Amino acid sequence: MANTGSSFAKPGVVVGQPFWLLAELTYRCPLQCPYCSNPVDFAKQGTELTTDEWIDVFRQARDMGAAQLGFSGGEPLVRQDLAQLIKASRDMGYYTNLITSGIGLTEKRIAEFAEAGLDHIQISFQAADEEVNNMLAGSRKAFAHKLEMARAVKAHGYPMVLNFVTHRHNIDSIDRIIELCIELEADFVELATCQFYGWAELNRAGLLPTKAQLERAERITSEWREKLEAQGHPCKLIFVTPDYYEERPKACMNGWGNLFLDITPDGTALPCHSARQLPVQFPNVRDASLKHIWYESFGFNRFRGYDWMPEPCRSCDEKEKDFGGCRCQAFMLTGNAENADPVCGKSEHHGIILAAREEAEMAALGMDQLQYRNEKASRIIAKV
Amino acid sequence: MTVALHQTPVFRRGYRFQFEPAQDAHVLLYPEGMIKLNGSAAEILKQVDGQRDVAAIIAALEAQFPGFPTLKDDVVEFIEVACGKHWIELR
C-alpha cells in the first residue's frame, strides 16, 4: 500500500511496538449505555471495513509485534463475519479477546467461536441488580440473558473476565457485584469506575460517585481480595479508580502511540479509543500501511516525546512518569489538548475537577436524567 | 503451596505459552495481558504438556542441562511460584 505523505517521526524518540490492537468492528449496538466511550457522533461515521480489510490490518499489526487483539465495538457480535475474523487472527498467533455485552451471544455462537480458536470472552454488566442493569442498558431482557451467557462461556471452557462499569448508581452494590462474579466463576473481575469520555462525559454529573462511595467500594474490594487470597482462589479483582479523585494524572495509554493501537469501524487508526474528538488529523488504514501510520503519521507522532508540552508539564520532573496525563481529557476540559490534564494538582485548570467533585456531593443527577446512547440522540447531539 | 513430584502441571485455561518473534522471547499470554519469560522459565514451561509430572520434567531438564546441582530445587521453586500466580495448575 502507498505510504503517501511525509514522515512526522521525531528524531531521538523511542517508539514502542503496538502490542495491543483493538478492533472496534462496528458502532452498531443493541444497548444504550449512558457511559459508552464511543464518540457522540458515531452515527455519522463512514462505512465499516470489510472482512478482508480487517484481516489485512491484523496481518500488518502482527508483523509489527501486536500480540493481544480485542474485538470490540459497539457490539462486535453484530458482525456476521466474527468467527472468520477470530479464526484468521488466531492462526496468526494472536491472543484473541471478545469484548461483548453478551447480547446477541448464543450457545451456538460460543461453540463456533471456540472452534475458531477464540481465547477469552469478556462480558460487561451494567449492574448486579436486574432492574438497574436493564434500565442502564436500555433493555428489558439484558440481565437474565447475560447471566445465562456467562454460565455458557464457562461451560465451554473459556477463561472469563466480567466487567462492571461502576458509577454513583451502582457502586454501593459492589459487595453484591463481586459475589455475583464469584458465583459465575469469573477468572478476572474488572470493577472500573466510569471514565469520562464520549457519552460518559455528557453524563458526568449523573455518574461520578462521591468520595465516600468510592472509598467504601475500595475497602470492600480489598476485603474480598484478602478473603480470596486466603482461600487460594484464582479469581482476581481489578479495581479502577476514576482519575477525578486523584491529584496526579494517569499515564494515559502508557504514552501516546506507544503500546496501543485502535482501529475504528471505518478504518481510522487512533492511539486511544477517544482520540477521535481531538483536533488532530488521524490516518486511515484504507489510505496508508499500518507501519507508516504507527511510525510516521502526523497523528501518531503528535504527542510523542516531550517537545510539545507547555508549562507546568515542560519543566515537571514527573513528565516521564505520566506524560502530562490524558490528551483527550485536557482537550475536553480546557479546550487545548497540549495542556496538562486538569486532574493534576499543578494544572491551573484543576478547579474544574474540584468543581466536579463538589457537584457529585451536592447536585448530582438521577438515573432518569441520563442521556442514553442511541442513534437518534447521536444525530441530535452531534449536529453542529 | 507445596509441589509433589508425582503431580502433573498443566497451563490454566486461557493461559497460552508461545514464542513471540517481536519480543525475541517466550511469553505467557492471558486475557488482555502478557508475561515475558526469561530463558530458564521458558525451558521449564516448554516441558509442561499435561502428560509429564514434575519428576519427569526435572529428569528431562537434567538430561538437557547437565551439571546444575540446584536444578531440581529451582524447578520446584518455579512451579510453586507459577502455581501461586495461577499460571499453571497441578493435577
Side-chain angles (χ1 to χ4, degrees):
Chain A
M1 202 179 291
N3 286 335
T4 48
S6 30
S7 173
F8 290 89
K10 295 180 178 176
V13 173
V14 180
V15 178
Q17 293 170 335
F19 166 67
W20 230 119
L21 177 65
L22 186 70
E24 292 185 307
L25 298 178
T26 178
Y27 283 138
R28 290 174 284 157
C29 182
L31 299 185
Q32 310 185 24
C33 306
Y35 49 74
C36 182
S37 64
N38 284 170
V40 288
D41 65 350
F42 73 84
K44 286 198 314 193
Q45 307 299 334
T47 56
E48 290 178 10
L49 295 183
T50 64
T51 310
D52 289 345
E53 284 174 319
W54 274 118
I55 291 174
D56 182 45
V57 166
F58 300 159
R59 176 78 268 159
Q60 292 185 59
R62 183 75 185 126
D63 289 343
M64 291 162 63
Q68 288 281 348
L69 171 55
F71 296 104
S72 172
E75 174 49 67
L77 293 170
V78 172
R79 287 280 301 216
Q80 294 309 305
D81 56 356
L82 186 53
Q84 204 183 334
L85 295 176
I86 290 167
K87 169 134 189 25
S89 52
R90 184 64 179 75
D91 288 349
M92 294 176 199
Y94 276 106
Y95 193 91
T96 50
N97 306 273
L98 172 62
I99 301 159
T100 174
S101 69
I103 307 300
L105 201 56
T106 57
E107 288 257 13
K108 186 166 164 259
R109 288 193 92 186
I110 291 175
E112 189 192 358
F113 297 155
E115 178 76 12
L118 182 63
D119 290 293
H120 145 239
I121 298 182
Q122 172 182 319
I123 299 183
S124 59
F125 277 74
Q126 283 71 30
D129 165 89
E130 176 150 20
E131 198 180 332
V132 180
N133 182 88
N134 292 352
M135 179 156 178
L136 288 165
S139 158
R140 265 174 300 149
K141 291 178 295 187
F143 190 69
H145 183 73
K146 279 166 191 280
L147 289 183
E148 192 190 327
M149 285 306 113
R151 292 194 179 103
V153 164
K154 284 303 288 193
H156 278 82
Y158 290 102
M160 180 168 70
V161 177
L162 292 183
N163 172 282
F164 279 80
V165 175
T166 61
H167 45 75
R168 63 182 299 122
H169 301 295
N170 66 4
I171 196 166
D172 292 336
S173 322
I174 195 133
D175 196 46
R176 175 66 198 123
I177 290 175
I178 296 172
E179 216 172 70
L180 176 66
C181 293
I182 308 285
E183 222 172 274
L184 292 170
E185 295 174 62
D187 295 272
F188 298 84
V189 178
E190 287 178 6
L191 302 158
T193 319
C194 176
Q195 305 273 332
F196 297 102
Y197 302 97
W199 293 78
E201 168 65 8
L202 280 182
N203 288 309
R204 190 183 67 205
L207 294 172
L208 185 66
T210 66
K211 185 148 193 160
Q213 281 185 301
L214 192 66
E215 283 171 352
R216 178 178 173 274
E218 272 190 288
R219 178 175 51 77
I220 292 172
T221 306
S222 340
E223 285 166 11
W224 267 104
R225 260 192 212 125
E226 284 161 27
K227 198 161 120 186
L228 292 171
E229 169 117 28
Q231 297 170 359
H233 197 291
C235 179
K236 193 172 166 200
L237 304 179
I238 302 155
F239 191 91
V240 185
T241 49
D243 54 0
Y244 271 58
Y245 286 103
E246 304 284 345
E247 291 304 314
R248 285 289 178 271
K250 56 183 178 257
C252 203
M253 310 319 283
N254 240 332
W256 184 266
N258 186 44
L259 177 83
F260 184 88
L261 172 59
D262 177 18
I263 308 295
T264 66
D266 69 0
T268 303
L270 301 174
C272 84
H273 325 54
S274 64
R276 195 168 203 152
Q277 64 183 307
L278 297 174
V280 173
Q281 177 89 34
F282 287 107
N284 190 296
V285 298
R286 283 173 168 148
D287 306 324
S289 73
L290 219 47
K291 212 167 171 177
H292 180 82
I293 286 172
W294 182 257
Y295 291 102
E296 285 165 52
S297 72
F298 171 77
F300 276 76
N301 282 291
R302 177 67 180 83
F303 298 110
R304 280 188 179 141
Y306 305 98
D307 63 340
W308 52 271
M309 287 179 172
E311 292 296 349
C313 296
R314 182 174 281 269
S315 60
C316 181
D317 60 2
E318 293 174 71
K319 69 181 172 194
E320 289 172 33
K321 202 168 78 186
D322 60 32
F323 318 105
C326 168
R327 295 305 92 222
C328 300
Q329 195 144 274
F331 176 70
M332 281 188 297
L333 300 181
T334 77
N336 180 352
E338 293 184 348
N339 279 338
D341 185 334
V343 161
C344 185
K346 294 181 183 180
S347 160
E348 60 175 304
H349 299 99
H350 188 57
I352 297 169
I353 299 293
L354 300 179
R357 288 182 205 168
E358 200 174 301
E359 188 180 51
E361 298 293 339
M362 316 296 296
L365 299 181
M367 216 159 58
D368 52 339
Q369 288 162 291
L370 297 174
Q371 174 62 61
Y372 289 84
R373 173 214 190 268
N374 55 47
E375 198 156 319
K376 190 172 159 215
S378 171
R379 293 191 192 284
I380 294 167
I381 293 165
K383 197 156 68 183
V384 190
Chain B
M1 167 85 53
T2 42
V3 175
L5 294 179
H6 63 82
Q7 287 180 303
T8 302
V10 291
F11 285 105
R12 181 177 169 196
R13 279 201 136 138
Y15 281 67
R16 205 164 88 216
F17 172 71
Q18 70 183 31
F19 183 75
E20 275 295 292
Q23 308 287 332
D24 193 24
H26 279 85
V27 300
L28 203 53
L29 291 160
Y30 59 96
E32 298 175 29
M34 179 174 85
I35 297 147
K36 191 171 165 176
L37 299 160
N38 64 25
S40 48
E43 288 305 330
I44 297 168
L45 289 179
K46 273 186 204 171
Q47 305 293 329
V48 172
D49 59 3
Q51 305 294 317
R52 267 177 271 204
D53 63 13
V54 177
I57 287 173
I58 291 167
L61 288 168
E62 275 174 342
Q64 205 181 337
F65 304 100
F68 288 93
T70 62
L71 188 142
K72 181 180 167 185
D73 292 343
D74 292 346
V75 171
V76 169
E77 192 187 337
F78 175 80
I79 290 175
E80 271 172 14
V81 170
C83 286
K85 291 182 184 291
H86 304 287
W87 298 345
I88 55 177
E89 289 164 356
L90 294 172
R91 299 228 169 119

